[in-house]
Amino acid sequence: MDIRGLTKFSLIDFPGKISCILYAGGCNFRCPYCHNPHLVIDPESQPQLSDNFIFNFLKQRTGKLEGVVISGGEPSLCSALSGFAEKIKMLGYLIKLDTNGSNPDVVISIHKNKCLDALGLDYKAPSSRYMELTGSKIEDLVERVHRTISYAIQENIPLDVRTTVHKRYHSPEILRLMREELNALGVPVWTLQQFHPAEIIDNTLASAPTYSDAELIDIAKETGNHTRVRGLKGSFIFDS
Ligand code: SF4
């Protein structure tokens, strides 16, 4: 498995679990606000962690950590993911997969193999603008993302759907439209994440005006249903 980063301890990335995070190299999207640009554009620039190193670490942490978040980049692009997840499972960990949703068949296969306990999915844009915002050329991209979400709901997989919000791409009208699409898919809870102006793919975004916390909370309230807001420090600043 092409893992290019490790966060050894997290209380927020696997809801309700103490976890570590593994970051897979490479991604098939180019979201302008992505704050892992090196991992996405030039994964080879980041030191690769060997399976040996990772599994030694995980063995040492059994009983201390409950879960492993496999994030990225986009981990579903790596053909070794399934076997990698199996080995993590054999150590007794719960697994959360963070994905952009572009490979539903991979998600389904890992779940059928009993190696998926939770799913995090970034919902990027309304359907009509999905390819534009992600820079993706996958023609059936929206269908794929929706299929990933629908599968998680149908199989009762704990699902964390979130959207990083920047004013340039996400007007209040667009966010309302996205909430309607998620409602239609049966997504109960949606998280709006404050844009983080640190290292990103499109540097012009860092100085472009975006929402204050208060403005984002007002938008979340207006979208109705269960829409919450995560602030820059990672904790929720609004939860309806
Ligand atoms: S935000 Fe996620 S999906 Fe988008 S480019 Fe970065 S890693 Fe890929």
Side-chain angles (χ1 to χ4, degrees):
M1 184 78 187
D2 184 20
I3 297 295
R4 303 271 172 179
L6 164 68
T7 297
K8 292 182 176 176
F9 180 83
S10 170
L11 292 174
I12 57 175
D13 288 82
F14 196 148
K17 306 292 173 200
I18 303 168
S19 65
C20 66
I21 312 167
L22 299 169
Y23 300 90
C27 186
N28 51 353
F29 286 6
R30 292 291 182 272
C31 310
Y33 50 74
C34 177
H35 50 76
N36 279 326
H38 302 301
L39 204 59
V40 166
I41 295 168
D42 186 16
E44 281 75 23
S45 68
Q46 308 301 303
Q48 189 179 46
L49 305 182
S50 69
D51 278 13
N52 202 22
F53 172 86
I54 292 165
F55 286 103
N56 276 337
F57 167 79
L58 291 177
K59 278 176 196 159
Q60 286 165 12
R61 292 302 198 279
T62 53
K64 300 186 180 87
L65 299 175
E66 300 167 283
V68 176
V69 180
I70 308 176
S71 187
E74 177 47 45
S76 71
L77 296 176
C78 188
S79 59
L81 176 62
S82 180
F84 185 71
E86 270 183 48
K87 281 175 73 178
I88 293 173
K89 261 298 177 193
M90 282 165 63
L91 293 175
Y93 286 104
L94 298 168
I95 294 178
K96 173 171 178 261
L97 183 69
D98 279 351
T99 178
N100 61 28
S102 62
N103 289 308
D105 290 338
V106 173
V107 171
I108 292 167
S109 160
I110 290 173
H111 180 249
K112 285 191 187 306
N113 208 20
K114 303 197 184 314
C115 292
L116 183 63
D117 302 289
L119 195 70
L121 188 141
D122 292 345
Y123 198 63
K124 307 287 186 185
S127 299
S128 59
R129 302 187 65 180
Y130 224 95
M131 291 177 71
E132 173 198 341
L133 185 73
T134 60
S136 168
K137 304 269 188 292
I138 302 171
E139 288 192 359
D140 60 345
L141 177 60
V142 170
E143 187 193 325
R144 290 188 190 203
V145 173
H146 286 192
R147 206 170 133 230
T148 305
I149 294 172
S150 297
Y151 179 80
I153 290 171
Q154 172 198 314
E155 297 295 323
N156 290 315
I157 301 168
L159 178 63
D160 175 21
V161 178
R162 60 276 171 114
T163 300
T164 299
V165 178
H166 192 286
K167 204 175 210 172
R168 184 185 288 175
Y169 297 102
H170 301 101
S171 67
E173 293 70 28
I174 278 184
L175 290 167
R176 274 193 285 277
L177 184 56
M178 291 170 71
R179 192 50 174 128
E180 283 169 20
E181 291 180 357
L182 292 172
N183 286 344
L185 289 164
V187 173
V189 183
W190 182 34
T191 300
L192 304 180
Q193 298 184 148
Q194 262 298 14
F195 163 76
H196 196 308
E199 272 189 297
I200 44 178
I201 285 184
D202 179 354
N203 282 322
T204 67
L205 278 182
S207 54
T210 190
Y211 300 110
S212 66
D213 286 353
E215 288 171 322
L216 205 49
I217 289 169
D218 282 345
I219 292 170
K221 287 177 182 167
E222 284 168 19
T223 66
N225 279 8
H226 195 163
T227 303
R228 55 193 184 176
V229 179
R230 184 179 278 137
L232 282 180
K233 290 186 178 160
S235 54
F236 291 106
I237 54 174
F238 174 71
D239 194 347
S240 59

